Amino acid sequence: MVRRFFTSFKKLSNKDKRLVAAVKSIVGYKPFRLELFRLVTQHSSVAKTLPNGFRASNERLEYLGDAILGAVVADYLFKKYPFKDEGFLTEIRSRIVNRESLSLLAKKIGISQMLESDFSRSRYHFKSIYGDMMEAFIGAVYIDRGYKYCQKFIINKLLIPHFDLDEIIENNTNYKSILIEWSQKENKSIRFDIEDQKQEGSKKEFRAAIFVNSEKISKGAGLNKKKAEQNAAFKACRKLNLI
Amino acid sequence: MVRRFFTSFKKLSNKDKRLVAAVKSIVGYKPFRLELFRLVTQHSSVAKTLPNGFRASNERLEYLGDAILGAVVADYLFKKYPFKDEGFLTEIRSRIVNRESLSLLAKKIGISQMLESDFSRSRYHFKSIYGDMMEAFIGAVYIDRGYKYCQKFIINKLLIPHFDLDEIIENNTNYKSILIEWSQKENKSIRFDIEDQKQEGSKKEFRAAIFVNSEKISKGAGLNKKKAEQNAAFKACRKLNLI
């Protein structure tokens, strides 16, 4: 691995000094290759085009970070729960590794602030931006320091301090099922509609609506159909006093 | 890492000796923890129930191997194609890491034979069994030797010898599109149907049929709808002399 650590911290621009400080406070070390972490904040909508026509954004790092995060969490759960089957492991992993929880995590540990110093907030109306940055950040740590280091970062700095696994395992409420059960008991017709779908780049946002006896009683949004439905179903359960 | 290498090869059963030899010929080393590789051949349909009620099968290793393989291939493509965007990387990865190609790989490198020595072939009429074993095998190498070793195994023993990346990149033919284009030009009605869906455990097999002017002209199968449709579309294209 080529380690091009900037020898003189003093020669850095103020913006780069802030970036070095941010990485050090989040991961615990000064980055070897600062350009990787500069890229983390480059959303595709503001990507610079290189002389060869390639647009340099954080999307490649995001793709890599997503895969590395998936592997590290898979390994962690595999060893932590030796007598749980793969269905359980897959389910718990998907509750840890999803855009909503990664967005929240990015805000908690301050990765979202790396962006605010660079760009105006208004450009990023799309929620998934922080989750994407979180994954890109993980990709950058992996390229900069390798698997072992990145694995320790994910487990010790992200997973253990920010995810309560016991709670994640317990919190298995399927609001859609509660609603369907209720409708059968009460002899009501129920309909789940995916109403609308916003698209930006490769990201989609889904909107679900729930109708009881043809009357719309709730709506919800999410980054996939299931999430949107669950969100709408949760609101419907609250409205109908089922939870 | 605890290394419980069996000290005396002579004390092993003949079956275990064959397993050690198989692992050595495939990966290049004698396994530290033979029980991991014994588990690779344990399909869920023949899993043994442990005293605590847990059914020991290869499914947990498969879940882990899938994640590790995804990360290693993501990293490999990320570094090999520095100026390709994440859409390209994701697409190429999915053409390498899918059940069909992993099944084929398992047969090529002899992992499928580890099974034949243990069980009768007739039990495993479901194609994905070898792909599952391939993933479980990767999971076992990872647990036995760690990420770095497993990464080298995947790249040097699987990826480089058995996948022609140039061919994979070129071979981007979408037979469904060819068919739709043809039907519009020739003013024919065309319909793609998912006819039937076999399920075994968590695995599904889909069957697609294609109708031109309400007449069935081809059918195809695959482990997802898209694959089944592409398969049927390929046959239809051949039949109609479009390729």
Side-chain angles (χ1 to χ4, degrees), chain B residues 201-219:
Chain B
S202 58
K203 306 299 174 323
K204 285 178 187 170
E205 189 178 71
F206 294 89
R207 283 163 193 225
I210 297 175
F211 298 82
V212 172
N213 289 348
S214 305
E215 186 199 341
K216 192 197 272 193
I217 58 157
S218 73
K219 50 188 187 169

Side-chain angles (χ1 to χ4, degrees), chain A residues 36 50 52 54 59-61 63-64 66-68 70-79 81-86 89-90 93 142-143 147-148 151 202-203, chain B residues 36 50 52 54 59-61 63-64 66-68 70-79 81-86 89-90 93 142-143 147-148 151 202-203:
Chain A
L36 283 170
L50 301 182
N52 64 1
F54 181 71
E59 287 187 332
R60 280 169 46 89
L61 282 174
Y63 143 91
L64 182 63
D66 172 68
I68 300 301
V72 169
V73 175
D75 174 23
Y76 181 79
L77 297 175
F78 181 91
K79 288 168 182 163
Y81 301 106
F83 296 114
K84 293 287 188 180
D85 66 27
E86 103 292 354
L89 301 174
T90 303
R93 184 171 63 153
Y142 173 77
I143 291 288
Y147 183 82
K148 269 273 163 208
Q151 184 184 33
S202 58
K203 308 298 176 320
Chain B
L36 283 170
L50 301 182
N52 64 2
F54 180 71
E59 287 188 330
R60 280 170 46 87
L61 282 175
Y63 143 91
L64 183 63
D66 172 66
I68 301 300
V72 169
V73 176
D75 175 23
Y76 181 79
L77 296 175
F78 181 90
K79 288 168 181 162
Y81 301 106
F83 296 115
K84 292 286 189 183
D85 67 27
E86 103 292 352
L89 301 173
T90 304
R93 184 171 62 155
Y142 173 77
I143 292 288
Y147 184 81
K148 270 272 162 207
Q151 184 184 32
S202 58
K203 306 299 174 323

Side-chain angles (χ1 to χ4, degrees), chain A:
Chain A
M1 189 192 288
V2 185
R3 292 187 170 176
R4 284 187 278 138
F5 185 66
F6 39 90
T7 44
S8 172
F9 187 72
K10 282 180 188 166
K11 282 182 188 165
L12 290 176
S13 69
N14 282 336
K15 207 171 113 181
D16 276 349
K17 279 182 188 168
R18 280 200 302 274
L19 189 58
V20 171
V23 175
K24 189 162 189 309
S25 89
I26 293 166
V27 196
Y29 84 107
K30 287 182 186 171
F32 292 132
R33 278 174 278 185
L34 193 56
E35 70 274 18
L36 283 170
F37 293 90
R38 283 196 202 107
L39 211 52
V40 169
T41 62
Q42 297 286 313
H43 188 248
S44 56
S45 64
V46 293
K48 288 170 197 148
T49 304
L50 301 182
N52 64 1
F54 181 71
R55 286 171 60 83
S57 79
N58 65 7
E59 287 187 332
R60 280 169 46 89
L61 282 174
E62 181 198 329
Y63 143 91
L64 182 63
D66 172 68
I68 300 301
L69 179 64
V72 169
V73 175
D75 174 23
Y76 181 79
L77 297 175
F78 181 91
K79 288 168 182 163
K80 190 173 170 77
Y81 301 106
F83 296 114
K84 293 287 188 180
D85 66 27
E86 103 292 354
F88 171 90
L89 301 174
T90 303
E91 174 65 27
I92 300 306
R93 184 171 63 153
S94 75
R95 286 191 214 160
I96 297 170
V97 183
N98 63 65
R99 294 212 168 263
E100 287 83 355
S101 74
L102 293 181
S103 282
L104 197 64
L105 184 61
K107 285 176 198 161
K108 270 188 184 173
I109 66 173
I111 284 180
S112 58
Q113 289 171 346
M114 282 169 58
L115 187 67
E116 259 96 54
S117 64
D118 261 31
F119 306 106
S120 71
R121 276 166 190 251
S122 58
R123 284 190 186 175
Y124 301 100
H125 52 281
F126 213 70
K127 282 182 210 163
S128 67
I129 177 80
Y130 298 125
D132 297 347
M133 274 181 72
M134 187 68 242
E135 289 178 333
F137 191 90
I138 290 166
V141 173
Y142 173 77
I143 291 288
D144 205 28
R145 297 294 296 255
Y147 183 82
K148 269 273 163 208
Y149 193 100
C150 187
Q151 184 184 33
K152 280 182 195 156
F153 163 63
I154 291 170
I155 293 172
N156 298 330
K157 302 280 170 93
L158 306 180
L159 208 50
I160 292 174
H162 297 289
F163 291 90
D164 183 338
L165 280 180
D166 293 336
E167 199 194 297
I168 287 171
I169 290 164
E170 267 176 36
N171 187 9
N172 193 12
T173 318
N174 186 339
Y175 297 109
K176 192 176 169 181
S177 300
I178 294 176
L179 217 53
I180 290 170
E181 220 168 89
W182 167 84
S183 71
Q184 285 167 346
K185 209 172 119 195
E186 300 287 327
N187 212 12
K188 310 251 187 198
S189 82
I190 194 153
R191 200 174 87 235
F192 296 80
D193 265 12
I194 296 296
E195 281 206 314
D196 183 22
Q197 182 176 319
K198 274 203 294 184
Q199 173 115 21
E200 175 168 314
S202 58
K203 308 298 176 320
K204 285 179 188 171
E205 190 178 72
F206 294 88
R207 285 163 191 223
I210 298 175
F211 298 82
V212 173
N213 288 349
S214 306
E215 188 199 340
K216 191 197 272 192
I217 59 156
S218 73
K219 50 188 187 170
L223 290 171
N224 59 46
K225 286 180 190 173
K226 197 179 164 193
K227 207 82 189 170
E229 278 187 351
Q230 276 296 320
N231 198 333
F234 171 75
K235 289 177 191 166
C237 286
R238 289 284 289 267
K239 206 165 179 176
L240 297 165
N241 290 324
L242 302 178
I243 49 171

Side-chain angles (χ1 to χ4, degrees), chain B:
Chain B
M1 191 191 289
V2 185
R3 292 185 170 176
R4 283 188 277 136
F5 185 65
F6 38 91
T7 44
S8 172
F9 187 72
K10 282 180 190 166
K11 283 181 188 163
L12 290 176
S13 71
N14 281 337
K15 206 170 110 180
D16 277 348
K17 279 182 189 167
R18 279 200 303 274
L19 189 57
V20 171
V23 174
K24 189 160 188 307
S25 87
I26 293 167
V27 196
Y29 82 108
K30 287 183 185 171
F32 293 130
R33 280 175 276 187
L34 193 57
E35 70 274 18
L36 283 170
F37 293 91
R38 282 195 203 107
L39 210 52
V40 169
T41 63
Q42 296 287 313
H43 188 247
S44 56
S45 63
V46 293
K48 289 169 197 149
T49 304
L50 301 182
N52 64 2
F54 180 71
R55 286 171 60 82
S57 79
N58 65 6
E59 287 188 330
R60 280 170 46 87
L61 282 175
E62 180 197 330
Y63 143 91
L64 183 63
D66 172 66
I68 301 300
L69 180 63
V72 169
V73 176
D75 175 23
Y76 181 79
L77 296 175
F78 181 90
K79 288 168 181 162
K80 190 173 170 76
Y81 301 106
F83 296 115
K84 292 286 189 183
D85 67 27
E86 103 292 352
F88 171 90
L89 301 173
T90 304
E91 174 65 27
I92 300 305
R93 184 171 62 155
S94 76
R95 286 191 214 159
I96 296 170
V97 183
N98 63 66
R99 294 211 171 266
E100 288 85 353
S101 73
L102 294 180
S103 283
L104 197 64
L105 185 60
K107 285 176 199 162
K108 270 187 183 174
I109 67 173
I111 284 180
S112 58
Q113 288 172 347
M114 284 168 58
L115 187 67
E116 259 96 52
S117 63
D118 261 31
F119 306 106
S120 70
R121 276 164 190 249
S122 59
R123 282 192 187 172
Y124 301 101
H125 52 280
F126 213 70
K127 284 183 210 164
S128 68
I129 176 80
Y130 299 125
D132 298 347
M133 274 180 72
M134 188 67 243
E135 289 178 333
F137 191 91
I138 290 167
V141 173
Y142 173 77
I143 292 288
D144 205 27
R145 296 295 296 256
Y147 184 81
K148 270 272 162 207
Y149 193 100
C150 188
Q151 184 184 32
K152 280 182 195 157
F153 163 63
I154 291 169
I155 292 173
N156 297 330
K157 302 280 170 95
L158 306 180
L159 208 49
I160 292 174
H162 296 289
F163 291 90
D164 183 338
L165 281 179
D166 292 336
E167 198 194 299
I168 287 172
I169 290 165
E170 267 176 35
N171 187 9
N172 192 14
T173 318
N174 186 338
Y175 298 108
K176 192 175 169 182
S177 299
I178 293 175
L179 218 51
I180 291 170
E181 220 168 87
W182 167 82
S183 70
Q184 286 167 347
K185 208 173 119 196
E186 300 287 326
N187 213 13
K188 310 251 187 198
S189 81
I190 194 155
R191 202 174 86 234
F192 297 80
D193 264 13
I194 297 295
E195 281 205 316
D196 183 24
Q197 180 177 320
K198 276 204 294 185
Q199 172 118 21
E200 174 168 313
S202 58
K203 306 299 174 323
K204 285 178 187 170
E205 189 178 71
F206 294 89
R207 283 163 193 225
I210 297 175
F211 298 82
V212 172
N213 289 348
S214 305
E215 186 199 341
K216 192 197 272 193
I217 58 157
S218 73
K219 50 188 187 169
L223 290 170
N224 59 46
K225 286 180 191 171
K226 196 179 162 192
K227 208 82 188 168
E229 278 187 351
Q230 276 296 319
N231 199 332
F234 171 74
K235 289 177 191 166
C237 286
R238 290 283 287 267
K239 205 165 180 175
L240 298 164
N241 290 323
L242 301 178
I243 49 171

